[in-house]
Amino acid sequence: MAVPILKQGAYLIASVQSALTDADLLELRNALVEMVGRYRSRGVIVDVTAMDVMDSFASRTLRDIAHMIRLRGAETVIVGIQPEVAFTMVQLGLTLEGVATALDLEEGLAFLDRGSKKIARDLGAHGA
Amino acid sequence: MKGGRNPANLTQVPTESTTALLRELVSHLRQNRTQLREEWAQRITEAKLLTAMTKEEVFAEATSVYDNYVEALETGTFEALQAYSRNLSERIIPRGVQTDEVVGIVLLLRDVLARSLFARYHADFDKLNRILDAYEPAANRIAITVAVGFVQERERTIREQQEAIRELSTPVLQVRERLLILPIIGVIDPQRARQLTEQLLRGIRTNRARVVVIDITGVAAMDSNVANHLVLTVEASRLLGATVIVTGLSPEIAQTLVNIGVDLTKMNTVGDLQGGIEEAERLLGYKVLPVEKTDQPS
């Protein structure tokens, strides 16, 4: 089951629709890392609202995605982790170290927008 | 109530003769209903049981118990008595009637009835023995049924109250848009910690919180299990996109956290609740300014 990736302005939105196999996860990773360069995106949102299980491979892949995308020059936000999933993850020690998270798609977009504004402000400060 | 070890099963299989004896017994109790009932109510008052109830109430309940008692002896079924004792318990538990009082009144009835049997059959010692053989197991079972019904009802009440206390004890409060406060007061046991986490994570979602202040000023001490749980809660909240600020750590709790080696880079702590709220407002972009008196429109 492939994950649809939508382009929204300067951002990419990957919204997971169902449980993913390991192969699906790797495919998602490769697609995102490739598309970030192709569309010159500044941010990526991975929506995992539909996932009710998060194993170690899935959370490691999500972390890898975030780190690889950062190396490609964009920010990643994981959104929509369910409360039960979140608590199970931390009990298993899967804390998505160094990865930004947000409540839902709306919050994720707001987070990326704040990041862009900060960059714009920094540029403005340098310009002045 | 069917377990082999249950003392309520002391009733022997009714043979022809015990059935006949029980029938005789029941008719004896029916004939002397008024007198025995009064004697029993008298004994209850003398023993200073059921002091929470008026004399009339004691007498009314005594009548009902007596009739149910005789009926249970007659039919050998205890369902009606069980239902009645549960109903009675429901009424008298809120008035502070204790377990020993309930057990006491049933045992008093047992004594009153046994004595009347002595009085009736003391001439025929052999018959008295057989009557008592038939009476005692049934009476024991009745006493147990009533006592167990009362205790079960009380336990149910206690469970309900515990549930209510637990519900009340961890309010998740919204202070501002996107800002939740979770004041924790009292002892945190593992069960309460789990419930607390569930409520917090649910609260983050329903209130779309971005910052949460957990205030533990009211927690005197926590063991390392609960401290670990607190750290997990902080991390789980982050996975939902909320930042947690913990405030009001006592010196003892600070010591526990350091002793179990919590990664302090993950814990955002501020000295007191006021500081925590100020920090949260800063994170959310709020700014609180005192109003200049002269600027106010008159």
Side-chain angles (χ1 to χ4, degrees), chain B residues 276-293:
Chain B
I277 294 175
E278 282 165 7
E279 170 78 8
E281 282 169 339
R282 202 182 54 73
L283 287 174
L284 289 166
Y286 287 109
K287 200 169 177 186
V288 179
L289 293 175
V291 178
E292 297 274 341
K293 272 215 175 98

Side-chain angles (χ1 to χ4, degrees), chain A residues 78 81-87 89-91 94-104 106-107 110 114, chain B residues 178 194 197-198 201-202 204-210 229 232-233 235-242 263 266:
Chain A
I78 312 290
I81 299 178
Q82 303 293 323
E84 307 80 51
V85 177
F87 198 68
M89 284 172 72
V90 295
Q91 276 180 321
L94 313 169
T95 51
L96 293 178
E97 212 66 31
V99 181
T101 46
L103 189 68
D104 52 21
E106 192 185 338
E107 287 293 302
R114 279 202 298 277
Chain B
R178 303 295 166 82
R194 200 169 52 243
T197 307
E198 274 170 27
L201 295 183
R202 237 181 291 138
I204 288 174
R205 242 171 52 137
T206 49
N207 297 295
R208 304 177 58 79
R210 224 157 54 205
H229 190 95
L232 293 188
T233 304
E235 288 180 14
S237 305
R238 195 190 71 87
L239 288 179
L240 294 187
D263 182 357
K266 288 182 191 159

